[in-house]
Amino acid sequence: MAEASSVPSLSDTQRSGLLLRTWEAISAERELPGVLASLADVLVPLVPFDSIGIIDFSGDPSASDESGKHRLFALHVVGIPQIEGETGQQFAKRLLPYAPPLQDVRPLIPYPAANDRRFPPGEPFACDDLLQREGWYEHEFRLAAAGIRSYVSVPLRARGQDIGVAVFTRVEQRAFPADHLTLLRDLCRALSVATANALANEEIRKLREQLEAENISLREQLGQAPWFEEILAHSAALKRVLDTVEQVATTDATVLITGETGTGKELIARAIHRRSARARGPLVKVNCAAIPDTLLASELFGHERGAFSGAVERRKGRFEQAHGGTLFLDEIGELPQEMQVLLLRVLQEREFERLGGTQTLRVDVRLVAATNRDLAEDVRSGRFRSDLYYRLSVFPVHVPALRDRPEDIPPLVAHFAEKYGARFSRKISRIERRTLDLLQAHPWPGNVRELENTVERAVILARNGVLSIDAGMLRGNTAEGRADQQLMSREREAVEAALSAARGRVSGENGAAKKLGLPASTVEFRIKKLGIDKFRYRVR
């Protein structure tokens, strides 16, 4: 601690030299504890004090007391080293683990109003002897408990705002002369800059830690959520579905998978096949809605040579191709009535004939069907045969819509971001928390397929490794396709701007692909998909 002695006044030369050395000392340090230590080394020989503390005003403004609003941000005690990484509050607690009882009890007095003329704004407040005051401000009880006898509080201002105060203390009673107060006020301008930078760095550190925590949480979700044949299930609803898949997969029962478009019904069918005893056999898929009615019978059961015009050779149907394995009939609700009759016979008899043939063929096939229609309602309306419906729905599995399982969205987004980041050579290192909140609140009429497409486009538009999606990029319930148009518009703008800058060139060192940070083949694909005429930019 500094020894008590009479303190001479400072000459103008001393004052100017001290200010210059103070600025140099503060500028040489990056961390605030180091700034305070350097400041003390320069200042104590001419303006003795025992400690200097920085109180910042970044606390909770709604706190009921001043201790909640003000915080001991940094502390330096002359002659006592501080542990690296120790905060001002931790340092103070280590020096004074408990507050000793005060010998004299003083009444608590309120802080002066902002317009109190006795305390000009920006000027230091000095207390020559704490024990001589009849009443104490709230902070003075803590100062007295720490053994402080005299102190001066100097406002710290940055960018026109009060950010805190610097408190210079003395253990022994010794007043601060007027010229010392003026000097402390002037040098605290430099200290204000250092404090503002330290507060800003602390805020940046907190934000970085928050983002890292979010990313760690997201990675943990991705790592802990069970992958089930390419199905990511984090929600209880989808986990229940996978439990039923586990139960039925080992049997040969016919399964009917229902759910909205884009929910992943084909993935469920693939999971059933791979977990069955037929996993070594083929998995054959037929999209009943994509094949013309006139060709469906030939597609499913095959045909003999000459069975119809163009049948120049014998062809095996999908049932024969799936022998020993699984046949997946997608969009089964779109089957025409005559095909429903033929399919029912195969399910009942396990035999059929090729078109134009007379030989009866028997196959060993497990049938898995899927539909986004309400087949029970179609049965009531007469559109779908009831006997076929009951044959198909021996074991129904319903895949919930994405809006009913928002817990699955964060790991799905992380998965698609990684997938398309690798495809487009764009590493996504962070996903905004705001983006995840927005995606979890969206109804997703197109389900997982729509989410995947949205993330794919967001990866293309991503900058600096950050995946960001705003509300304008999402399709609204009342405007089908509006989000697709907005996303395509943003893609078009980005591609056209790059083409314009590259004078129509796509590849090469100065090409549009280089400017977009994408492979040339990807940019060519996007140009074709968006209908952009790249040659008109060469004219420009």
Side-chain angles (χ1 to χ4, degrees):
M1 298 296 180
E3 295 181 358
S5 63
S6 60
V7 181
S9 298
L10 300 173
S11 66
D12 290 342
T13 302
Q14 287 177 314
R15 184 174 176 278
S16 299
L18 199 55
L19 283 173
L20 179 60
R21 289 164 58 199
T22 300
W23 273 97
E24 291 174 346
I26 290 176
S27 301
E29 294 289 339
R30 299 187 62 181
E31 301 296 331
L32 196 54
V35 169
L36 298 185
S38 297
L39 176 62
D41 291 342
V42 173
L43 198 56
V44 166
L46 293 175
V47 183
F49 57 83
D50 297 307
S51 70
I52 175 175
I54 302 296
I55 310 297
D56 83 280
F57 297 163
S58 64
D60 183 3
S62 63
S64 58
D65 59 5
E66 288 299 319
S67 61
K69 302 175 186 177
H70 302 160
R71 170 184 59 154
L72 179 58
F73 183 48
L75 175 66
H76 175 74
V77 179
V78 179
I80 300 180
Q82 185 172 350
I83 300 172
E84 185 176 355
E86 192 175 33
T87 67
Q89 291 173 325
Q90 291 169 340
F91 187 26
K93 189 175 182 180
R94 178 163 62 87
L95 295 179
L96 191 68
Y98 66 94
L102 299 174
Q103 298 298 321
D104 299 312
V105 177
R106 301 289 197 281
L108 175 66
I109 59 176
Y111 287 102
N115 57 358
D116 193 327
R117 295 183 179 180
R118 296 174 300 168
F119 304 94
E123 292 297 322
F125 170 78
C127 173
D128 295 341
D129 188 351
L130 195 56
L131 298 183
Q132 295 301 316
R133 287 170 58 81
E134 295 182 357
W136 283 344
Y137 296 126
E138 185 174 332
H139 70 274
E140 291 179 326
F141 284 88
R142 293 190 292 276
L143 291 176
I148 304 302
R149 187 74 180 271
S150 302
Y151 76 93
V152 59
S153 174
V154 186
L156 300 175
R157 290 180 62 82
R159 293 180 288 276
Q161 292 184 336
D162 293 324
I163 61 172
V165 294
V167 182
F168 299 83
T169 67
R170 290 171 174 168
V171 173
E172 296 185 7
Q173 190 282 320
R174 190 189 317 163
F176 287 83
D179 59 338
H180 287 193
L181 296 179
T182 302
L183 176 68
L184 294 178
R185 181 197 64 191
D186 292 343
L187 68 84
C188 277
R189 294 172 184 168
L191 192 54
S192 296
V193 175
T195 301
N197 291 338
L199 289 169
N201 289 334
E202 181 190 48
E203 187 65 24
I204 292 171
R205 177 182 56 78
K206 288 180 179 178
L207 289 173
R208 185 183 297 116
E209 290 175 353
Q210 178 184 349
L211 293 172
E212 289 175 354
E214 289 176 0
N215 284 338
I216 290 172
S217 175
L218 199 60
R219 287 195 295 270
E220 287 177 347
Q221 288 183 32
L222 184 60
Q224 292 175 2
W227 282 92
F228 187 102
E229 306 297 342
E230 302 178 1
I231 302 169
L232 181 59
H234 197 75
S235 64
L238 194 53
K239 286 178 180 178
R240 285 193 294 269
V241 171
L242 299 187
D243 286 342
T244 62
V245 168
E246 287 277 15
Q247 293 172 341
V248 74
T250 55
T251 73
D252 255 357
T254 301
V255 179
L256 177 63
I257 307 170
T258 61
E260 296 179 4
T261 300
T263 51
K265 297 185 291 294
E266 183 178 347
L267 292 179
I268 296 293
R270 189 177 297 133
I272 293 172
H273 171 71
R274 290 179 179 175
R275 276 170 156 66
S276 71
R278 300 174 177 270
R280 294 183 180 274
L283 171 64
V284 178
K285 175 189 172 183
V286 179
N287 189 326
C288 300
I291 302 173
D293 295 353
T294 54
L295 297 180
L296 257 175
S298 171
E299 192 69 27
L300 290 176
F301 309 121
H303 60 257
E304 298 288 349
R305 179 181 178 181
F308 52 86
S309 298
V312 295
E313 60 182 0
R314 173 186 288 177
R315 181 180 182 277
K316 288 184 177 181
R318 299 299 180 92
F319 269 95
E320 283 185 83
Q321 295 173 22
H323 181 69
T326 304
L327 178 64
F328 174 49
L329 297 181
D330 199 7
E331 304 296 348
I332 189 73
E334 306 302 323
L335 275 181
Q337 287 279 348
E338 56 272 20
M339 282 304 305
Q340 293 178 28
V341 175
L342 294 176
L343 180 59
L344 178 62
R345 181 198 169 199
V346 175
L347 291 178
Q348 290 175 333
E349 309 295 337
R350 298 291 174 177
E351 60 183 33
F352 61 94
E353 294 88 27
R354 298 190 190 103
L355 264 67
T358 57
Q359 180 183 1
T360 299
L361 304 173
R362 298 189 62 84
V363 289
D364 176 22
V365 171
R366 182 198 193 154
L367 189 66
V368 177
T371 182
N372 61 358
R373 299 178 62 93
D374 184 351
L375 287 190
E377 179 59 35
D378 286 347
V379 168
R380 286 190 288 271
S381 66
R383 188 185 177 282
F384 201 85
R385 293 182 62 96
S386 60
D387 44 6
L388 177 59
Y389 171 68
Y390 295 125
R391 280 283 181 180
L392 291 173
S393 60
V394 172
F395 195 95
V397 174
H398 179 72
V399 184
L402 186 57
R403 61 179 171 274
D404 297 327
R405 46 188 179 98
E407 307 95 318
D408 290 333
I409 291 177
L412 281 170
V413 173
H415 168 64
F416 293 140
E418 182 180 8
K419 172 183 175 181
Y420 290 105
R423 178 175 298 181
F424 300 141
S425 300
R426 289 199 166 181
K427 182 176 177 59
I428 301 299
S429 58
R430 182 167 67 83
I431 302 171
E432 289 185 343
R433 179 74 258 176
R434 179 188 60 82
T435 291
L436 291 177
D437 292 340
L438 177 68
L439 296 182
Q440 286 185 289
H442 188 65
W444 297 112
N447 291 290
V448 179
R449 189 175 299 145
E450 181 188 356
L451 174 65
E452 181 175 3
N453 293 339
T454 301
V455 174
E456 178 185 2
R457 287 178 174 167
V459 168
I460 295 173
L461 297 171
R463 292 293 180 267
N464 301 319
V466 180
L467 188 80
S468 176
I469 298 174
D470 55 48
M473 296 171 66
L474 302 179
R475 184 174 65 180
N477 292 330
T478 59
E480 185 82 3
R482 183 175 60 193
D484 287 347
Q485 294 174 0
Q486 292 172 335
L487 285 170
M488 290 181 69
S489 176
R490 291 183 61 180
E491 283 186 76
R492 179 184 296 276
E493 290 174 3
V495 172
E496 288 183 339
L499 284 171
S500 179
R503 298 182 179 274
R505 288 184 173 274
V506 175
S507 58
E509 186 63 27
N510 298 316
K514 184 77 172 180
K515 298 180 185 299
L516 291 169
L518 294 171
S521 58
T522 300
V523 177
E524 289 283 5
F525 174 78
R526 293 291 167 182
I527 289 172
K528 182 177 180 181
K529 184 176 181 180
L530 295 168
I532 297 174
D533 181 8
K534 63 182 179 183
F535 297 101
R536 67 188 181 97
Y537 293 96
R538 295 184 182 178
V539 175
R540 290 183 180 178

